[in-house]
Amino acid sequence: MHVLIVGAGTGGLALAHSLRQSGIGVSVWERDPVPNADTGGYRVGISPGGSRALRACLPGELYELFAATCARPPARINMLTEQLRELLSFDIEGMGANGLDGEKSVIRKTLRRVLLSGLEDQVFFGKALSHYTHNADATVTAHFEDGSVATADVLVGADGTNSAVRRQRLPEARLEDTGIVSFGGKLPMTPENEALLSRGMREGMSLVMAPRGFGGIVHSLRFDRDDAKFAARWPHFVDALDEDSIGWALWGARQNFPRDPSGLDGPPLQEMGLALTRHWHPHLRELIRRSEPSTLLHVNVRTSGTLLTWRSSNVTLIGDAVHTMTPGRGAGANTALRDAALLGRLLAETHQGRRPLLDSIRAYEAEMLRYSSEAVQASKKQMDSRDLIHKPWTGALQLAAMRAAMRTVDAVPLLKRRVLAQMMRVRGEN
């Protein structure tokens, strides 16, 4: 069997490793021109479920490299007002018995470099898919814009939100513009910048709930590693190591911005961030002010619409190519890794002669649709510009009610455990 993967993102590369370990031939075709192309974004959170899926896909040595390049696991998840008053805080470090061991934070481009390791001869860059065709011998051929072609037994679309594979395979699948716009930046973790963070903020991830439906997030990333030991074991990877940093992002309904931030970057985005937060805590505003303008990026938040089942073939999809979701629950990368582990295992059963190919793909698609639909819906919550939270008067009432509910949850341990369990369920935890 040979599997052709379109897209060298997190899910596609994890799947490639899984297939290789099962003895299945694999090639990955990526539209980025070079391996170190800026893939966008800074931090990606890998849940315990995501970590287990990744471990199932990777050779042991490579998984150890991944773990060694991750930041210190977040010890807390904080919910704060825009004045940095605590509403609700989860002590992750103290709840390992509930399955939270393995929560990881990694820089996205570093994760990609880890996953490319060992696949150098299987990944082809500068290959944008034009279309694919089915052949009489039950194979499928991918045609690329530069004129090159490749044929395989299975084609997997792992080419992200703007998937060319999805456009042909599921033309009825539509992306929805949520009307939410997000932008953010980062700055180094110097003593002066660290002083802007409260103790709770230094220990993990903090979400900000502000009036008019605006929200924010602050990540504190520290890399606790022994550089000498790391260099002795992985000398070829020393140049890719990341430094301690603080990442932040803001989001809100497009209609509530003074002007549409789409298309802006650098200083204009920074100025808009300072204008939007003029009544927020001075420390939050100072994080924005001290960020290097060149690090600021914006995203128009989109999500997949409702998907119905389809007739399976030897062309299938994983990750954002089939279930784009908002960042509202941090489930996107973790769901892609779950896809990769599941599809890799089922295709291995076919390779071993234990299951017909279409049965494996059909079983994958049925299970993937089940868990990804839940993640997409949960990730939409409050990430829709039509929600009441983004309206002037009803939004103020809803915000007050949500803050009161969070304070109640924070005071009742049983409720706190249930809320945390639901948050983790969306990210792949049972």
Side-chain angles (χ1 to χ4, degrees):
M1 183 191 296
H2 186 87
V3 177
L4 189 157
I5 300 170
V6 178
T10 301
L13 293 174
L15 175 60
H17 280 289
S18 176
L19 297 174
R20 280 193 68 197
Q21 291 204 95
S22 298
I24 298 172
V26 63
S27 59
V28 184
W29 302 71
E30 166 59 41
R31 62 176 168 253
D32 282 347
V34 290
N36 60 351
D38 186 354
T39 56
Y42 297 118
R43 168 198 174 272
V44 58
I46 306 297
S47 71
S51 294
R52 288 193 296 273
L54 190 57
R55 184 189 288 271
C57 292
L58 299 185
E61 171 81 7
L62 194 57
Y63 185 84
E64 291 176 20
L65 173 59
F66 156 71
T69 58
C70 290
R72 179 194 302 172
R76 298 170 69 89
I77 300 176
N78 310 297
M79 307 289 187
L80 310 172
T81 70
E82 78 282 4
Q83 299 302 328
L84 298 185
R85 299 189 185 99
E86 188 174 290
L87 298 167
L88 174 59
S89 182
F90 298 105
D91 182 357
I92 298 177
E93 229 175 17
M95 299 183 72
N98 285 350
L100 285 168
D101 289 334
E103 183 77 24
K104 293 178 173 61
S105 293
V106 65
I107 300 298
R108 188 177 296 273
K109 67 178 181 180
T110 304
L111 174 60
R112 190 188 205 192
R113 179 163 169 178
V114 169
L115 295 179
L116 283 169
S117 300
L119 296 175
E120 291 83 359
D121 294 334
Q122 281 78 43
V123 183
F124 304 91
F125 289 91
K127 303 295 182 180
L129 183 74
S130 167
H131 64 284
Y132 62 83
T133 53
H134 290 283
N135 305 316
D137 62 355
T139 60
V140 59
T141 297
H143 302 259
F144 299 93
E145 292 180 359
D146 66 354
S148 54
V149 297
T151 298
D153 300 291
V154 180
L155 188 152
V156 179
D159 46 344
T161 298
N162 298 312
S163 170
V165 180
R166 185 191 66 241
R167 283 198 299 271
Q168 182 175 347
R169 179 69 183 86
L170 299 175
E172 71 278 9
R174 301 294 182 211
L175 288 175
E176 300 174 2
D177 184 353
T178 65
I180 301 294
V181 181
S182 175
F183 63 91
K186 65 186 292 188
L187 60 163
M189 181 73 81
T190 63
E192 295 77 15
N193 292 337
E194 183 180 6
L196 299 173
L197 307 179
S198 67
R199 178 185 172 189
M201 294 173 74
R202 293 183 197 127
E203 294 178 350
M205 177 181 72
S206 301
L207 292 162
V208 177
M209 298 179 61
R212 298 171 61 209
F214 283 103
I217 192 168
V218 178
H219 298 290
S220 176
L221 294 181
R222 296 179 181 278
F223 296 89
D224 294 338
R225 58 178 174 252
D226 185 320
D227 287 349
K229 287 184 177 179
F230 187 99
R233 187 168 182 186
W234 296 291
H236 64 290
F237 217 88
V238 172
D239 65 312
L241 294 179
D242 301 293
E243 300 297 329
D244 296 353
S245 63
I246 303 169
W248 60 268
L250 303 173
W251 60 81
R254 188 179 286 108
Q255 70 266 18
N256 290 336
F257 283 85
R259 58 180 288 204
D260 189 347
S262 302
L264 299 181
D265 57 15
L269 268 185
Q270 191 170 38
E271 292 170 11
M272 181 172 289
L274 291 170
L276 288 173
T277 59
R278 61 187 177 277
H279 299 305
W280 292 27
H281 194 284
H283 286 186
L284 288 173
R285 303 189 76 241
E286 195 62 23
L287 290 177
I288 300 172
R289 192 188 312 277
R290 294 184 185 181
S291 298
E292 171 57 44
S294 64
T295 70
L296 270 67
L297 300 169
H298 85 276
V299 175
N300 293 317
V301 179
R302 295 183 292 172
T303 185
S304 294
T306 302
L307 275 176
L308 302 177
T309 57
W310 55 85
R311 178 173 293 182
S312 298
S313 75
N314 60 345
V315 176
T316 191
L317 300 144
I318 69 171
D320 285 349
V322 65
H323 47 62
T324 294
M325 56 192 75
T326 81
R329 291 293 185 271
N334 293 292
T335 310
L337 289 172
R338 190 172 181 179
D339 295 346
L342 175 62
L343 182 57
R345 176 173 59 80
L346 290 169
L347 289 178
E349 291 183 9
T350 294
H351 182 61
Q352 295 157 8
R354 296 162 52 198
R355 185 196 289 257
L357 175 59
L358 289 187
D359 281 2
S360 289
I361 293 176
R362 190 178 298 112
Y364 158 71
E365 291 175 343
E367 176 65 4
M368 176 270 293
L369 279 174
R370 183 193 64 78
Y371 60 71
S372 67
S373 295
E374 179 183 4
V376 167
Q377 291 304 314
S379 299
K380 279 184 182 181
K381 291 180 179 177
Q382 294 169 38
M383 281 278 179
D384 187 328
S385 63
R386 297 166 297 182
D387 288 345
L388 294 178
I389 192 74
H390 302 288
K391 310 298 181 185
W393 299 107
T394 54
L397 293 173
Q398 188 170 343
L399 178 63
M402 291 172 62
R403 287 179 172 180
M406 287 187 175
R407 291 189 177 100
T408 300
V409 169
D410 198 48
V412 181
L414 178 60
L415 285 176
K416 203 169 185 177
R417 287 194 294 271
R418 287 180 176 174
V419 169
L420 184 55
Q422 178 57 29
M423 288 172 57
M424 298 308 297
R425 173 184 168 87
V426 173
R427 303 178 75 221
E429 290 301 298
N430 294 327

